[in-house]
Amino acid sequence: AAAGPGVRTEGVLIMSFNTELARYGPDEAQRFYERLADEARGTAGVEAVSLASFIPFSGLPLGQTAIAPEGHEFPVGIESESVPTSYVDADFFGLMDITVTQGRAFATTDTAEAPRVAIVNQRLADLFWPGESPVGRRFRSNGAEGPWVEIVGIARLARPPRVGRV
């Protein structure tokens, strides 16, 4: 039997919105998404709701963020590494059945007012901390002078879908 994609695909509805078309600024967009999620949670038959900037295999573009891991020595003239990024809420990993293999998943207390935290995948962990756990380590987000972000967990990698015959 072929292995599945590593994320929930049954019973999942994905919606995408471009709040810039409505000329929403960042605060208005955040309020829109919060209202949308609250209303969806109150809809009959809906078991779980999560917000994410990227969903695996959705065909939507994955964001990029320049990070600078604490203590990592880049070659001369390079201050950071651009990595694929998705911003997700505390319900995302559970809803999508993505296992956090080390550390913890996001919590509802991980808010904009709390210290910044991240969950990375094993590929990123191996790139900057080969053979070591990155949990508890920090990196600067948005370049070498950006805010510090603490790694609180490692997520299992989703497997890309197979194309063609098995």
Side-chain angles (χ1 to χ4, degrees):
V7 297
R8 174 179 287 165
T9 57
E10 296 293 320
V12 175
L13 173 66
I14 298 171
M15 289 190 230
S16 176
F17 300 91
N18 184 343
T19 55
E20 291 176 7
L21 293 175
R23 296 192 175 108
Y24 285 179
D27 292 338
E28 289 173 301
Q30 182 66 32
R31 286 190 299 274
F32 167 79
Y33 287 120
E34 288 170 358
R35 279 193 322 272
L36 179 69
D38 288 343
E39 289 184 27
R41 285 183 188 98
T43 302
V46 173
E47 296 177 15
V49 174
S50 180
L51 297 174
S53 63
F54 172 80
I55 305 293
F57 318 124
S58 66
L60 299 173
L62 187 62
Q64 295 283 318
T65 300
I67 67 167
E70 186 173 33
H72 183 76
E73 295 291 328
F74 285 102
V76 175
I78 297 175
E79 295 183 345
S80 62
E81 175 85 20
S82 184
V83 298
T85 308
S86 180
Y87 295 91
V88 303
D89 66 13
D91 299 320
F92 180 79
F93 290 100
L95 183 124
M96 296 301 292
D97 286 337
I98 298 174
T99 304
V100 175
T101 59
Q102 291 181 36
R104 67 172 177 86
F106 291 125
T108 55
T109 55
D110 293 324
T111 64
E113 294 77 34
R116 293 173 183 247
V117 295
I119 296 171
V120 301
N121 65 28
Q122 192 63 54
R123 188 172 297 135
L124 185 98
D126 292 343
L127 178 64
F128 293 111
W129 302 278
E132 301 176 30
S133 173
V135 175
R137 305 276 184 125
R138 300 185 315 166
F139 62 84
R140 288 196 182 270
S141 180
N142 299 319
E145 300 302 317
W148 285 110
V149 179
E150 180 182 347
I151 298 170
V152 295
I154 300 177
R156 173 187 41 75
L157 288 170
R159 292 177 294 282
R162 294 185 122 167
V163 179
R165 295 183 184 190
V166 178

